[in-house]
Amino acid sequence: MSQVGGHEFEAMYGPQFAKNFVNEYLKVEIPKRLIKYRNYWDVSNDELPDQAEFLDYEPATMDSWQTIITVALSGRGFTRVGHMRYGDPEYQVSYNMRTYAWARTEGERSVTVMRDRLIVVIRSALMDHPCLKRRNPQREAMIEESSITEEYSEITLLKGDRYLAGAYVGYELRIEEPIVREKLADFENIDLETVEAGPGQELSD
């Protein structure tokens, strides 16, 4: 938030913020959760590896593995939920989002299990509302749990015995966004003239 002419100014966020918001959150949360789930499932780093890249756009090609990609597909809702200090309205905006996970390793079963495990770790992070809220304490941000869906791709044979498998978590991200309205006019000085008048006496122009 910044000051413009003595007025607190905060712009609407838009889809670029929605993607970046989730992407930066996952950068922090996923490494911690990978450690916990490795211990819980008793698997090695090779079976549930660290993520090489977190992207908020869809690249033409992927050169790093494993990769998590978050994109925004659409926005809707735009429901007014209140007003800021100076009367500017706040809206709850819903973004239709997807977070993709891509896994690559040797063996058909190994890549399938790796992909399945990774998508569970991502899901656990996205459903953790208190942790998600901590990324932006000034604004309410949450994922509607009932909106969560998952899709899993078929595996693809790469060079040698390496395989590629992907999946995504689809969800609705709700964020409160303000809109600071432009002033219609600025009043610096107002001149007032007082006139004494008795009861029933008309005021002169």
Side-chain angles (χ1 to χ4, degrees), residues 191-197 203-204:
D191 294 326
L192 296 177
E193 182 180 355
T194 60
V195 178
E196 295 183 2
L203 298 178
S204 58

Side-chain angles (χ1 to χ4, degrees), residues 107-176:
E108 296 155 284
R109 184 179 185 281
S110 294
V111 76
T112 301
V113 174
M114 181 186 293
R115 183 271 316 275
D116 292 349
R117 288 171 174 160
L118 179 56
I119 211 71
V120 170
V121 177
I122 293 172
R123 182 207 301 164
S124 75
L126 293 174
M127 294 181 72
D128 194 339
H129 175 241
C131 288
L132 186 68
K133 168 75 173 175
R134 200 163 55 232
R135 289 293 304 167
N136 186 23
Q138 277 78 36
R139 293 276 159 229
E140 180 65 24
M142 67 174 294
I143 289 172
E144 178 57 49
E145 296 176 354
S146 63
S147 71
I148 293 177
T149 61
E150 293 181 2
E151 295 285 341
Y152 316 102
S153 73
E154 297 181 355
I155 63 173
T156 302
L157 176 63
L158 303 175
K159 293 181 180 179
D161 193 33
R162 288 187 175 273
Y163 289 85
L164 174 68
Y168 72 78
V169 182
Y171 51 93
E172 181 181 290
L173 175 68
R174 296 179 180 177
I175 301 180
E176 288 184 359

Side-chain angles (χ1 to χ4, degrees), residues 6 8 17 21 26 32 39 52 60 92 118 120 123 141 144 158 162 164 167 170 182 198 201 205:
E8 289 184 355
F17 177 90
F21 178 81
L26 293 177
K32 296 185 295 185
N39 294 330
Q92 185 181 81
L118 179 56
V120 170
R123 182 207 301 164
E144 178 57 49
L158 303 175
R162 288 187 175 273
L164 174 68
E182 294 295 326
Q201 182 180 346
D205 294 336

Side-chain angles (χ1 to χ4, degrees), residues 5-197:
H7 191 154
E8 289 184 355
F9 180 81
E10 189 174 359
M12 297 196 84
Y13 293 155
Q16 81 283 354
F17 177 90
K19 293 184 294 183
N20 183 260
F21 178 81
V22 175
N23 192 55
E24 293 301 313
Y25 166 70
L26 293 177
K27 280 183 182 180
V28 175
E29 282 295 313
I30 293 300
K32 296 185 295 185
R33 291 172 188 265
L34 285 172
I35 295 172
K36 292 179 180 179
Y37 274 88
R38 286 186 198 118
N39 294 330
Y40 178 73
W41 286 323
D42 192 23
V43 298
S44 67
N45 286 32
D46 291 335
E47 294 171 292
L48 187 59
D50 292 328
Q51 302 306 293
E53 279 198 291
F54 293 82
L55 304 177
D56 58 3
Y57 64 93
E58 294 187 80
T61 60
M62 287 188 295
D63 301 318
S64 301
W65 306 95
Q66 314 305 316
T67 304
I68 293 177
I69 302 169
T70 298
V71 297
L73 303 179
S74 62
R76 64 183 182 85
F78 302 95
T79 304
R80 187 180 297 188
V81 294
H83 292 83
M84 297 174 65
R85 185 189 309 173
Y86 296 99
D88 297 315
E90 293 178 283
Y91 294 86
Q92 185 181 81
V93 183
S94 298
Y95 292 98
N96 182 20
M97 309 281 291
R98 285 182 184 176
T99 294
Y100 292 87
W102 293 97
R104 186 183 69 171
T105 192
E106 294 182 357
E108 296 155 284
R109 184 179 185 281
S110 294
V111 76
T112 301
V113 174
M114 181 186 293
R115 183 271 316 275
D116 292 349
R117 288 171 174 160
L118 179 56
I119 211 71
V120 170
V121 177
I122 293 172
R123 182 207 301 164
S124 75
L126 293 174
M127 294 181 72
D128 194 339
H129 175 241
C131 288
L132 186 68
K133 168 75 173 175
R134 200 163 55 232
R135 289 293 304 167
N136 186 23
Q138 277 78 36
R139 293 276 159 229
E140 180 65 24
M142 67 174 294
I143 289 172
E144 178 57 49
E145 296 176 354
S146 63
S147 71
I148 293 177
T149 61
E150 293 181 2
E151 295 285 341
Y152 316 102
S153 73
E154 297 181 355
I155 63 173
T156 302
L157 176 63
L158 303 175
K159 293 181 180 179
D161 193 33
R162 288 187 175 273
Y163 289 85
L164 174 68
Y168 72 78
V169 182
Y171 51 93
E172 181 181 290
L173 175 68
R174 296 179 180 177
I175 301 180
E176 288 184 359
E177 301 190 25
I179 177 169
V180 177
R181 290 173 169 167
E182 294 295 326
K183 297 179 181 178
L184 296 179
D186 287 317
F187 295 96
E188 295 182 357
N189 295 295
I190 300 177
D191 294 326
L192 296 177
E193 182 180 355
T194 60
V195 178
E196 295 183 2

